[in-house]
Amino acid sequence: MDLAVVVVIQILYAVASLALISIGLAIIFGMMGVINFAHGEFLMMGGYAFILSYNAGVNFWIAMLVVAPVTIAVIGVVVERLIIRHLYGRVIETVLATWGLSLFLIGLAATVLGYHQKGVNPPFGTIRIGAYQEGGYTFFVIFVTLALMAALYVGFKYTRWGLIARGTMQNAQMASGIGVNVDRVYATTFGIGAALSGLAGAILAPIAGVLPEIGVTYVVKAFITVIGGGAVALAGTGAASSLFGAVSQAVTFLSRPVVGEVALLVVAIVLLRLLPLGITGRYFRRGL
Amino acid sequence: MSRNALGLWTMGVLSLVLVFGVPAIVETFALIDFTLFIAMAILSLSLAFVWGFGGILCFGQSAFFGLGAYTYAVAVINMGESTVPILLGILLPVILALVLGYFMFYGRVSDVYLAVITLAVSLVFYYLIGASAGEEYKIGSARLGGYNGMPSVPPINVPGDPSAAVEYEALYVPAAVLLAVVYFGLRALLASDFGRVLVSIRENEARTELLGYDARRIKTVALAIGAGIAGLSGVLFCAWGAYVSPTVFSLVFTAQIIMWILVGGLGTLTGAILGCVLIQYLATWLGETKIADVNIVLGAIFVAIVLLVPSGFVPMFARLGDTLTRRRGEAGS
């Protein structure tokens, strides 16, 4: 019984962390049709922003929940102005340009901060479940992810800004025709996506640590989750990360972590063969 | 003489220089470096063909390359003779490509989705081979060695005579000949009916299908040809360094191959070779002199090319050359 509870918690955690690392990328892809391959480095920089400001004496929660997302949002807006803006409508070119950016940022981080791994201890200690122990921080990650998804849903569905953003996504020309500043909507959306990536990087930093190259481990999973989910950002990420996270965590339990990673990739390959436009290409098409 | 014929003659002369001239004037040490560049140039050609002419954005070219390298390593350790392992190193990637091609093209997967699938395939190899560190993971007498890779892979030998090894600087001439064979082979292929249909699929798949060609079959075959060439390159790479490790399947390596093509220009074979040599040379030079972090420089070049020279350098200079000659022609008449 205790084991079953632990297994369920672990699977929930796998799903939540997958959704957390993917959501920033998903919003940018779903809203703007742009694949940001430097996404992993946004997470990496979020992690650094958090750890460096925490070490400099900023309060733990402010460093994580405010400093990291705001810093990365600013960087995101700059990247949008300098690079992404010139490549709208050309998915492959944006992938390539941001891939170059990702190399650049890895090199920059390595030069400035060095190759040593930085980390902080996760708060909350451990919680006993019968004969097992579970880190309290695990629950925090699951909770934050749920809260974030809910906030995004409300933001896009019920606010004036969300309405404008969705309208621009559906038909940018029409939106522009009725007086929406499309450029600004794109820049803001990209900034929000970047902020979410920075936040995700900061939240995962106590667990995974931060290294200049850590983005590489995030970006492929996020990329696969987002493409597997399809163009509808929230529903797609939710569905794809539930599927991939559950499968990979379940397989990890039955054998070992590597086989879990491989299972995730194999499921993604088969999924894209069956649903070439991702899950939301067929289901939840009217979702958000 | 047309530009095409001129280009063909130029490349013919250049490849003769590459095969016969370079070994005569270059030092042994540099020749060994050149051999690696040649192996990489063959890999670059394979993606130039698949992506530039087939329009198939394959993020998994490194999977074919790595599979070729590992196949050669495992087979040659077991057999002790290199002829069959070389052929296997080409054949296995071809089979993988046929299976993948059937899976993707017959399922009408395209674009960025295709990129994800091919990327995922090469990462599956990365994880699986990386996890093969234990004593129990061996094929015949060859231990896979996990992330440490497989050291001491025997060199290529003269067919039928395992004692006559072709290694170090001696590998240069066969490699250069192979590069020339692959280059002219691809040019011939592109000039054939098959090549023309392939390019027309890249331009407009629906229209080509309406003319009665089976785009799915042709793209599968093109992917398989590219995979065979990438496999050959992997074999050369593995025999050159007597070593192979899972990094050949990594994301960083994949990015590098794509960058060679972008620098040289999409849709040219010559550009793929130039781009590859240029970037490889730059990376080696930066690594030795430590002037700046390799990633910063390569990343900045990558971004700059996509933004400023999206067609790549060779097509840009070709256009520039055309404009100049036309101006001169006008001035003369």
Side-chain angles (χ1 to χ4, degrees), chain A:
Chain A
M1 182 56 210
D2 296 341
L3 180 65
V5 173
V6 172
V7 169
V8 169
I9 291 169
Q10 287 284 329
I11 286 180
L12 281 178
Y13 172 72
V15 171
S17 58
L18 202 54
L20 192 61
I21 62 170
S22 309
I23 189 66
L25 188 67
I27 296 243
I28 293 173
F29 176 63
M31 292 303 216
M32 307 159 70
V34 166
I35 296 278
N36 172 23
F37 229 86
H39 176 70
E41 281 59 48
F42 282 22
L43 285 148
M44 175 267 285
M45 292 188 298
Y48 272 119
F50 160 57
I51 288 183
L52 292 178
S53 58
Y54 173 63
N55 287 347
V58 180
N59 174 283
F60 186 92
W61 299 109
I62 291 180
M64 175 185 284
L65 303 174
V66 179
V67 174
V70 169
T71 314
I72 308 309
V74 172
I75 295 175
V77 171
V78 172
V79 167
E80 198 269 348
R81 288 272 149 171
L82 290 179
I83 299 176
I84 310 288
R85 162 149 312 208
H86 307 287
L87 300 169
Y88 280 128
R90 293 186 281 166
V91 178
I92 300 295
E93 272 96 338
T94 40
V95 172
L96 298 173
T98 49
W99 203 340
L101 178 69
S102 120
L103 289 178
F104 179 81
L105 292 173
I106 292 174
L108 199 65
T111 310
V112 177
L113 300 161
Y115 277 105
H116 322 286
Q117 178 152 3
K118 288 197 192 326
V120 288
N121 288 325
F124 300 132
T126 54
I127 294 171
R128 289 195 70 83
I129 302 166
Y132 301 90
Q133 283 196 337
E134 190 58 64
Y137 199 71
T138 308
F139 296 96
F140 174 72
V141 172
I142 298 172
F143 169 75
V144 167
T145 308
L146 282 173
L148 213 56
M149 296 290 258
L152 283 169
Y153 183 81
V154 171
F156 277 115
K157 188 92 181 179
Y158 298 111
T159 66
R160 183 178 158 75
W161 183 86
L163 186 68
I164 292 173
R166 283 184 294 138
T168 311
M169 175 186 70
Q170 266 185 13
N171 192 333
Q173 257 189 329
M174 184 66 83
S176 167
I178 55 174
V180 172
N181 185 342
V182 172
D183 268 6
R184 189 180 298 163
V185 173
Y186 279 158
T188 318
T189 313
F190 199 86
I192 290 177
L196 289 168
S197 315
L199 181 62
I203 290 175
L204 293 175
I207 296 177
V210 190
L211 268 175
E213 296 116 325
I214 193 141
V216 177
T217 55
Y218 291 134
V219 71
V220 174
K221 275 194 205 169
F223 187 36
I224 287 172
T225 306
V226 169
I227 298 292
V232 182
L234 285 179
T237 309
S241 47
S242 302
L243 177 65
F244 296 161
V247 167
S248 94
Q249 195 58 37
V251 173
T252 301
F253 267 113
L254 297 175
S255 61
R256 35 189 199 135
V258 172
V259 186
E261 298 279 346
V262 172
L264 189 160
L265 295 169
V266 171
V267 170
I269 292 171
V270 173
L271 177 86
L272 282 179
R273 171 63 169 77
L274 299 176
L275 304 171
L277 293 177
I279 296 173
T280 53
R282 178 163 310 164
Y283 308 106
F284 319 113
R285 239 180 305 186
R286 300 188 55 81
L288 192 73

Side-chain angles (χ1 to χ4, degrees), chain B:
Chain B
M1 201 169 356
S2 76
R3 222 184 85 201
N4 196 24
L6 186 71
L8 205 58
W9 277 103
T10 318
M11 288 311 283
V13 172
L14 278 180
S15 48
L16 286 178
V17 171
L18 194 70
V19 174
F20 297 108
V22 171
I25 51 170
V26 168
E27 286 174 50
T28 309
F29 182 71
L31 212 56
I32 293 176
D33 270 357
F34 281 17
T35 312
L36 176 64
F37 287 175
I38 285 178
M40 293 296 147
I42 294 177
L43 175 61
S44 189
L45 278 179
S46 78
L47 186 64
F49 172 70
V50 169
W51 184 18
F53 293 93
I56 303 162
L57 178 52
C58 181
F59 276 11
Q61 206 65 13
S62 55
F64 303 131
F65 175 84
L67 184 61
Y70 266 97
T71 307
Y72 171 78
V74 168
V76 79
I77 287 174
N78 279 306
M79 294 179 185
E81 203 273 346
S82 71
T83 315
V84 178
I86 294 174
L87 295 177
L88 284 177
I90 299 171
L91 187 66
L92 250 65
V94 168
I95 293 172
L96 174 66
L98 288 175
V99 173
L100 259 182
Y102 178 77
F103 186 81
M104 297 187 304
F105 300 130
Y106 284 76
R108 296 289 180 196
V109 178
S110 63
D111 254 16
V112 74
Y113 301 95
L114 196 136
V116 175
I117 291 185
T118 48
L119 184 64
V121 168
S122 66
L123 286 172
V124 167
F125 278 105
Y126 181 73
Y127 285 127
L128 283 183
I129 301 218
S132 66
E135 192 66 56
E136 66 274 27
Y137 294 104
K138 44 183 178 180
I139 302 175
S141 55
R143 274 187 59 187
L144 292 175
Y147 288 110
N148 292 328
M150 301 176 69
S152 321
V153 178
I156 291 174
N157 57 261
V158 176
D161 182 6
S163 61
V166 182
E167 53 185 335
Y168 308 121
E169 74 276 12
L171 190 60
Y172 175 82
V173 173
V177 170
L178 281 173
L179 176 63
V181 168
V182 168
Y183 177 80
F184 288 106
L186 283 178
R187 281 195 75 144
L189 186 67
L190 286 167
S192 73
D193 284 351
F194 176 83
R196 287 163 200 277
V197 176
L198 184 65
V199 170
S200 91
I201 290 172
R202 177 193 72 188
E203 293 300 317
N204 192 327
E205 184 162 339
R207 207 175 281 179
T208 314
E209 292 211 310
L210 289 173
L211 289 171
Y213 297 101
D214 186 350
R216 300 170 301 182
R217 191 173 57 83
I218 289 165
K219 278 160 87 172
T220 306
V221 172
L223 189 71
I225 293 173
I229 297 171
L232 172 69
S233 160
V235 169
L236 280 174
F237 171 78
C238 180
W240 173 83
Y243 174 71
V244 58
S245 78
T247 46
V248 292
F249 296 114
S250 70
L251 196 60
V252 177
F253 189 60
T254 303
Q256 233 172 51
I257 310 173
I258 288 173
M259 201 166 148
W260 300 337
I261 309 291
L262 277 180
V263 170
L266 206 54
T268 84
L269 293 177
T270 325
I273 299 177
L274 286 178
C276 166
V277 173
L278 216 70
I279 294 294
Q280 284 290 94
Y281 183 80
L282 183 69
T284 319
W285 182 73
L286 284 172
E288 280 165 3
T289 56
K290 306 241 186 292
I291 290 176
D293 189 284
V294 179
N295 279 326
I296 293 188
V297 177
L298 293 189
I301 295 179
F302 206 151
V303 175
I305 284 179
V306 177
L307 287 178
L308 306 176
V309 199
S311 61
F313 282 115
V314 167
M316 186 181 85
F317 286 126
R319 263 202 311 277
L320 217 63
D322 275 359
T323 326
L324 287 179
T325 38
R326 209 175 307 128
R327 280 219 191 111
R328 208 176 301 145
E330 279 162 13
S333 62

